[in-house]
Amino acid sequence: MSILLDENTRVVVQGITGKEGAFHTERMIQYGTKVVAGVSPKKKGHYFLGIPVFGSVYEAVKSEGATFSCIFVSQAYVKDAIFEAIDAGIKTVVCITEGVPVHDMLILKKFAKEKDAFIIGPNTPGVISPGKAKVGVMVDYIHKKGNVGVVSRSGTLTYEVVSQLTALDIGQSTCIGIGGDPIVGMRFIDVLSLFEEDEETELVVLIGEIGGNMEEEAAHFYRSSMRKPLCAYIAGYGAPREKRMGHAGAIISGGSEDAAAKIRILEEAGIEVVRSIAEVGEKVKRLLFNLKRKSSVV
Amino acid sequence: MRIHEYQAKKIFEAYSIFCPQGFVVEKSNDLELAASVLGFPIVVKAQIHVGGRGKGGGIRIANTMEELKTAFDELFGKRLVTEQSEKEGKIVSKLLFERFENITRELYIAIVLDREKESPRLIAGKRGGIEVEEMVKKDPDLIASEVIDVRYGLMPYQARKLFFFLELDPSLLEPFTELCQNMYKIFVEKECTLCEINPLAINDTGKFVALDAKVILDDNALFRHPDLSELFDPTQEDSKEVEARRFGLNYVKLKGNVGCVANGAGLAMATMDLVRLSGKEPANFLDVGGGATREMIREGLRIVHSDPDVKVIFINIFGGILRCDTFAMGFRDASEIIEKPVIMRLEGTNVEDGMKILKDLKIPLIIVNDLKEALERLKSLDI
């Protein structure tokens, strides 16, 4: 098992004929993802890489049984695209687009909750279950199939951590970028609860950063509801207040939003926090070793 | 995006929120006119994008023409340093002159984006003039708030709840509800992440007055608001940050002397953290982004290199969508101007091609194989 997607997940790409959409759809297919439909209202009726292109998500769902969407449309059209996908019955939407207006996200989140749908992103590299499927734009060759779940607010930092894991021969069950915007669809706790239920995942790596309180929420969730070990890294130590550190969401506006406060809260909950990004891989290796030892004693 | 107080007040007035009568002054010959219209005493307020103006001497009361001239001369065109500003302060290129209001009470009111609840939140405080966080710390009983459901908007009963909490005169019930509704309208229509009146005063005629106004706009929504985009004031930003943004780069000036360059915001932050772990301090944060071009890389490196505080540059690239050979070409283009030592970690897509490009460059370049080695190198630096 893996969370959110596997080799049978039927994916529709909204904006399949755009530059980014076309490029990454091809890569997703190469990786083994079942891309069954595309949506591009102006190219309705065409085929792209042998995939039928529809005028609406509704048609893609009806005709091809798509359940999972990947969105490549510009920021002005994201709100409409996500509404359309969820209204058509899509249960998981990955939104690659960066810089979606916050007020659009506020409304989209209410809608998604009403319809029991997940939004991943915006501003996410996507989600990958190594060896099975990927939906998004992430570098895939660094991944290896395995038992560590990775959830992160940052794309490049995910690559960094995944490559350290793979170099140490530690594979991943699923890796998810939840996005670097202030308001994102799935929060850390949503992903953690899926990992906790997933039989294949033995340990989870959480990559957080300054700004907001999702890491604090994760700490409370870990304490109350998680049995699996969690290893965390928080980026942005020493970032100044009220300065946006690249991501729109990485901005410290309250005292509990800086890295030091987040690290303290995570550690108080019993989570292993790694201070140096260079040591995340090795820390995970030690934790996995301890886990095996413990289970062999039992 | 932050905007000035006088700009925020213009928006407030358009939404029927009462602000003291005022003038924006940008040259000394405006003083006479302003004085004749407003009458003394006049409140002089430096327009800068940073808090703590009052304590920093950026807000003065002038009782005579003489005092008005002095206040103008001491503030206008100068750099104002406050508790919250950088050490060099912010340039004052505009002053706001306002009619003095006789007030009977000061309150706090704001609509903020609550990231935890993923909703706007209306906050009211029994005291004005101090930061809401301070107020929460000192005495949480001074603050009450209501979460707003964006599907339905701010309900009048929610405003009433806060009104009763503030224990105001019953005659103010309707004006207060209206004020809250108007603020919410601004918050939604202008796509704010913060809309704050602090202090909100009640004047001696029993009217609400917005003595100060703070509005923060969502940068990502500015494409829908060309009129608001025009309110951007580049004089309030670090000039290199503005320049970097022009090239589509994220650059933040920091206090140390190690220049930090990475691709992706997360990796750039982690790179900055690594520098601090080595006992050094980052001079900046530069994220060239995922889709960086050769030109963007060259310009980014030029901006970092031109910072006189930078003694050494630490580059940390994990090529994904950005290919290592593209980065290396941008670096080679920039190498003509690079004189400061560079420590580089290059990994990811097309890394071999990238390394070939870097091989023959005649500049002080140290290539490290991984982040551990980078950390050791940084530790051993004598800067």
Side-chain angles (χ1 to χ4, degrees):
Chain A
M1 263 182 59
S2 46
I3 66 167
L4 293 162
L5 84 166
D6 60 26
E7 59 273 34
N8 299 314
T9 305
R10 299 177 74 79
V11 180
V12 52
V13 177
Q14 291 175 258
I16 194 167
T17 53
K19 190 175 161 239
E20 294 288 311
F23 182 83
H24 291 290
T25 299
E26 197 170 348
R27 270 158 186 73
M28 282 187 242
I29 295 168
Q30 280 167 4
Y31 196 74
T33 310
K34 232 175 225 163
V35 180
V36 295
V39 173
S40 181
K42 285 181 186 161
K43 302 269 171 70
K44 179 180 156 80
H46 288 61
Y47 279 81
F48 176 78
L49 302 169
I51 300 160
V53 178
F54 297 94
S56 71
V57 184
Y58 180 77
E59 290 169 68
V61 169
K62 202 173 133 198
S63 159
E64 305 300 327
T67 60
F68 202 112
S69 165
C70 188
I71 293 184
F72 291 95
V73 303
S74 60
Q75 57 170 182
Y77 304 104
V78 164
K79 184 177 168 187
D80 187 40
I82 297 182
F83 257 104
E84 184 189 347
I86 294 176
D87 193 50
I90 295 287
K91 287 298 168 198
T92 313
V93 177
V94 169
C95 180
I96 308 299
T97 317
E98 183 178 350
V100 176
V102 161
H103 286 251
D104 290 354
M105 282 310 297
L106 295 179
I107 291 170
L108 282 165
K109 285 218 66 171
K110 296 277 182 193
F111 186 61
K113 199 171 178 194
E114 256 172 38
K115 302 280 183 183
D116 264 330
F118 287 132
I119 301 170
I120 300 174
N123 193 8
T124 171
V127 46
I128 181 168
S129 290
K132 296 176 181 169
K134 79 158 180 172
V135 175
V137 302
M138 72 286 278
V139 191
D140 49 46
Y141 72 87
I142 57 172
H143 290 269
K144 177 184 156 72
K145 192 171 163 33
N147 302 326
V148 172
V150 179
V151 58
S152 167
R153 286 171 67 184
S154 148
T156 40
L157 220 40
T158 314
Y159 305 160
E160 176 63 46
V161 167
V162 166
S163 69
Q164 285 182 24
L165 294 176
T166 300
L168 293 167
D169 209 28
I170 301 167
Q172 306 94 43
S173 54
T174 303
C175 304
I176 302 178
I178 58 170
D181 276 7
I183 305 290
V184 290
M186 292 187 90
R187 296 168 72 94
F188 279 135
I189 49 165
D190 303 316
V191 179
L192 291 181
S193 64
L194 294 179
F195 275 137
E196 177 67 16
E197 296 299 314
D198 177 35
E199 284 170 17
E200 200 171 290
T201 305
E202 285 179 20
L203 175 151
V204 182
V205 180
L206 179 150
I207 304 161
E209 60 191 32
I210 56 159
N213 69 315
M214 282 195 287
E215 292 80 2
E216 189 176 343
E217 210 177 54
H220 294 312
F221 177 79
Y222 176 80
R223 201 200 282 266
S224 67
S225 320
M226 254 182 110
R227 290 166 298 113
K228 293 178 184 174
L230 184 62
C231 172
Y233 169 79
I234 304 294
Y237 209 87
R241 262 186 84 120
E242 306 220 356
K243 279 271 186 192
R244 168 180 165 161
M245 303 304 281
H247 284 161
I251 181 164
I252 304 168
S253 36
S256 63
E257 297 183 22
D258 66 29
K262 290 187 184 217
I263 291 170
R264 184 173 44 76
I265 293 163
L266 289 164
E267 283 182 338
E268 278 168 9
I271 296 165
E272 295 279 351
V273 184
V274 185
R275 295 294 202 285
S276 165
I277 186 63
E279 284 161 21
V280 176
E282 281 170 16
K283 184 67 171 187
V284 171
K285 193 176 176 182
R286 276 201 300 279
L287 289 172
L288 282 174
F289 179 74
N290 290 345
L291 204 62
K292 287 220 175 67
R293 213 173 42 183
K294 228 194 273 173
S295 63
S296 66
V297 169
V298 172
Chain B
M1 182 178 93
R2 292 187 75 153
I3 61 174
H4 285 297
E5 175 192 2
Y6 78 91
Q7 295 166 327
K9 281 180 169 167
K10 256 187 214 154
I11 296 174
F12 279 19
E13 280 169 345
Y15 284 77
S16 309
I17 296 172
F18 182 68
C19 304
Q21 191 186 4
F23 263 100
V24 179
V25 175
E26 291 173 88
K27 50 185 188 294
S28 58
N29 46 2
D30 288 345
L31 300 190
E32 301 273 347
L33 178 67
S36 70
V37 175
L38 298 173
F40 288 104
I42 289 174
V43 186
V44 177
K45 305 178 89 176
Q47 300 294 289
I48 54 170
H49 284 184
V50 66
R53 283 180 306 174
K55 278 187 200 161
I59 300 175
R60 316 269 180 99
I61 294 172
N63 290 297
T64 61
M65 200 59 214
E66 199 58 30
E67 285 177 20
L68 192 64
K69 277 191 178 128
T70 310
F72 179 88
D73 290 338
E74 284 177 9
L75 290 171
F76 190 78
K78 307 287 189 320
R79 288 191 158 268
L80 185 64
V81 180
T82 80
E83 277 174 355
Q84 296 173 37
S85 73
E86 300 98 349
K87 58 180 187 292
E88 66 274 18
K90 290 270 187 208
I91 186 104
V92 181
S93 48
K94 286 188 177 71
L95 291 170
L96 176 62
F97 285 8
E98 279 185 343
R99 175 170 285 172
F100 183 84
E101 291 280 336
N102 288 304
I103 59 171
T104 60
R105 196 170 162 191
E106 286 191 354
L107 306 161
Y108 175 95
I109 188 155
I111 296 177
V112 304
L113 172 71
D114 183 332
R115 285 175 66 175
E116 184 180 355
K117 298 283 179 205
E118 298 176 325
S119 295
R121 183 191 280 275
L122 175 67
I123 304 177
K126 289 184 178 176
R127 244 184 248 154
I130 51 172
E131 251 194 284
V132 65
E133 263 200 53
E134 284 288 301
M135 228 185 312
V136 174
K137 251 188 254 158
K138 273 189 191 144
D139 187 356
D141 292 342
L142 292 174
I143 297 278
S145 69
E146 285 286 312
V147 174
I148 302 166
D149 188 319
V150 284
R151 287 169 299 184
Y152 315 114
L154 174 69
M155 289 292 157
Y157 81 89
Q158 294 183 296
R160 285 203 298 277
K161 259 166 101 175
L162 297 185
F163 176 82
F164 295 125
F165 164 78
L166 292 172
E167 297 172 297
L168 298 173
D169 188 272
S171 67
L172 288 171
L173 177 59
E174 259 176 58
F176 183 79
T177 317
E178 220 172 280
L179 173 76
C180 295
Q181 297 282 14
N182 288 333
M183 284 181 71
Y184 185 64
K185 250 192 224 165
I186 295 173
F187 189 83
V188 172
E189 288 174 15
K190 305 296 180 195
E191 303 197 53
C192 306
T193 57
L194 174 76
C195 176
E196 179 189 76
I197 306 179
N198 183 27
L200 168 70
I202 301 169
N203 69 11
D204 53 1
T205 65
K207 221 173 156 181
F208 286 114
V209 195
L211 284 193
D212 196 358
K214 187 173 171 188
V215 165
I216 300 179
L217 301 163
D218 177 11
D219 297 82
N220 290 332
L222 285 174
F223 72 93
R224 289 198 279 237
H225 305 278
D227 53 326
L228 297 175
S229 311
E230 280 173 21
L231 303 181
F232 178 68
D233 181 357
T235 70
Q236 296 299 306
E237 317 273 320
D238 180 273
S239 60
K240 286 198 171 61
E241 289 180 21
V242 176
E243 199 188 342
R245 207 170 314 154
R246 259 201 1 246
F247 293 105
L249 304 160
N250 290 305
Y251 174 90
V252 177
K253 172 78 180 133
L254 299 166
K255 290 183 171 123
N257 55 15
V258 180
C260 298
V261 179
N263 60 320
L267 194 63
M269 278 189 271
T271 304
M272 189 179 88
D273 296 347
L274 211 61
V275 168
R276 293 186 103 238
L277 272 176
S278 77
K280 309 288 188 289
E281 282 293 324
N284 52 46
F285 163 105
L286 179 78
D287 163 20
V288 297
T293 62
R294 189 169 161 177
E295 288 71 32
M296 280 163 72
I297 290 154
R298 185 191 65 216
E299 291 305 319
L301 289 166
R302 183 182 57 74
I303 289 168
V304 169
H305 192 271
S306 68
D307 179 346
D309 292 341
V310 169
K311 298 283 177 270
V312 58
I313 299 173
F314 175 33
I315 297 174
N316 186 8
I317 298 296
F318 200 105
I321 297 174
L322 167 67
R323 300 185 339 239
C324 291
D325 52 336
T326 308
F327 183 85
M329 282 189 280
F331 184 82
R332 186 176 61 194
D333 295 345
S335 67
E336 289 168 19
I337 56 137
I338 291 179
E339 290 165 350
K340 299 172 184 178
V342 178
I343 300 173
M344 190 192 301
R345 181 278 192 128
L346 191 65
E347 184 58 70
T349 315
N350 293 1
V351 61
E352 289 84 11
D353 296 340
M355 288 297 183
K356 265 181 223 152
I357 295 168
L358 297 176
K359 215 176 61 192
D360 299 321
L361 294 180
K362 290 180 177 49
I363 57 165
L365 173 65
I366 300 163
I367 293 188
V368 292
N369 291 315
D370 57 34
L371 292 180
K372 268 192 180 162
E373 194 185 334
L375 189 63
E376 290 312 311
R377 281 283 182 181
L378 284 164
K379 269 186 192 160
S380 66
L381 281 178
D382 185 25
I383 52 168

